[in-house]
Amino acid sequence: MIYLKTNDEIELLRKANLLVSATLTEIAKVIRPGLTTRQLDRLAEAFIRDHGATPTFKGFPNPYGPAFPASICTSVNHVVVHGIPNDVPLKEGDIVSVDCGVSLNGFCGDSCYTFCVGEVKSEVKQLLATTKEALYKGIEQAIVGHRIGHIGHAIQTHCEQQGYGVVRELVGHGIGHEMHEDPQVPNYGSTTSGPEIKNGLCIAIEPMITQGSHKIGLLPDKWGIVTLDGRMAAHFEHTIAIYDGKPHLMSSFDTIEQIEIQKR
Ligand code: MG
Ligand code: MG
């Protein structure tokens, strides 16, 4: 069942998501070759707890294996999503998708950004740029009167036109008291598919886009999702709320992007 939020609930959702964005900004400040994803996880967990919140991902159950052991997902290169932080140092030219979720005052935040480690190949930069553009093209479609399918249709069209793959098995979602609520928000579809978009709808939109084939596999750790062809994957995610007939960002990439510009 889709649970539409009140204005007061949307303000709480915004606070949780801004904390996620602040956490990802802390990661943007430090990410560089030589650092490990476990170090990023420790930094993120401390930052989240220092702000009175809990990392939603830590202990998240898995029907196929152990619960998620960390506070963020760190998915490097051909890992699409759900990468478990580890002690392997990041290298120049890597990309790492950092997905972060927090619970604050009973509401969840959820956002993801794919970072470059040092200088990456121009073809990889293009994958990241297209995935981020697709996210915003999807968000633009989240207006009252449209269907959820409008979002996925815009994302799929933008990415497939440029020869990229759209992962089918993983989708965006409603968000509120729970991190995953109805409805599902696929990154593909048609303008006649899915429920109608209404004021009070709060969703996470999260294109997972591959350089090659969209086919995926599961790592032996039962968490990491990888591209089967070993090519790179990108993941950008915003939580949005629909009110006054149109979409409003709850999370923000502004401070991350400022840091990226300063690093150039
Ligand atoms: Mg996420
Ligand atoms: Mg999500």
Side-chain angles (χ1 to χ4, degrees):
M1 205 188 95
I2 297 174
Y3 174 51
L4 301 173
K5 277 76 180 175
T6 65
N7 290 348
D8 288 348
E9 288 171 324
I10 289 171
E11 286 318 303
L12 290 168
L13 189 74
R14 190 191 309 274
K15 288 200 175 92
N17 277 283
L18 289 177
L19 178 57
V20 172
S21 301
T23 308
L24 292 176
T25 301
E26 292 303 301
I27 285 170
K29 286 179 189 167
V30 301
I31 197 160
R32 62 177 184 277
L35 218 61
T36 70
T37 49
R38 197 185 305 280
Q39 287 172 303
L40 297 178
D41 179 55
R42 291 212 185 99
L43 179 155
E45 180 167 5
F47 188 82
I48 292 165
R49 294 195 191 279
D50 284 350
H51 287 80
T54 53
T56 320
F57 297 175
K58 196 155 196 175
F60 202 81
N62 180 352
Y64 309 107
F68 197 75
S71 296
I72 52 173
C73 299
T74 53
S75 304
V76 179
N77 295 339
H78 75 301
V79 185
V80 185
V81 286
H82 304 163
I84 297 176
N86 61 32
D87 295 315
V88 180
L90 293 167
K91 314 183 297 297
E92 181 92 18
D94 282 346
I95 55 171
V96 51
S97 301
V98 180
D99 198 347
C100 179
V102 307
S103 306
L104 178 66
N105 299 320
F107 277 83
C108 291
D110 188 9
S111 178
C112 180
Y113 196 90
T114 302
F115 295 94
C116 295
V117 182
E119 196 52 42
V120 307
K121 285 185 188 157
S122 64
E123 68 208 57
V124 177
K125 278 187 195 156
Q126 190 55 46
L127 170 70
L128 302 193
T130 300
T131 306
K132 200 198 278 187
E133 284 160 15
L135 169 59
Y136 288 107
K137 286 187 182 287
I139 290 170
E140 272 173 25
Q141 295 297 317
I143 56 176
V144 170
H146 275 185
R147 291 184 175 274
I148 289 291
H150 278 85
I151 299 169
H153 182 70
I155 292 170
Q156 180 178 21
T157 305
H158 186 67
C159 295
E160 289 185 348
Q161 268 170 358
Q162 299 185 51
Y164 296 126
V166 177
V167 172
R168 302 293 199 275
E169 294 85 346
L170 298 145
V171 296
H173 49 89
I175 181 165
H177 286 301
E178 303 292 331
M179 187 168 61
H180 296 136
E181 298 184 357
D182 288 338
Q184 291 199 340
V185 184
N187 297 305
Y188 52 89
S190 79
T191 54
T192 55
S193 62
E196 283 177 26
I197 292 170
K198 295 182 176 159
N199 282 317
L201 181 72
C202 297
I203 51 176
I205 301 178
E206 47 181 317
M208 289 155 260
I209 306 301
T210 61
Q211 223 178 358
S213 161
H214 65 75
K215 298 276 171 55
I216 55 168
L218 184 63
L219 288 177
D221 66 20
K222 304 287 188 215
W223 276 106
I225 302 282
V226 294
T227 59
L228 274 187
D229 62 11
R231 300 189 71 192
M232 299 277 198
H235 181 204
F236 287 88
E237 175 180 27
H238 270 314
T239 292
I240 65 165
I242 289 92
Y243 55 86
D244 299 335
K246 47 184 201 291
H248 300 264
L249 291 180
M250 299 287 104
S251 46
S252 167
F253 295 153
D254 290 354
T255 48
I256 299 170
E257 287 168 345
Q258 282 166 19
I259 289 165
E260 288 193 331
I261 289 166
Q262 286 162 12
K263 278 184 174 178
R264 271 188 221 139

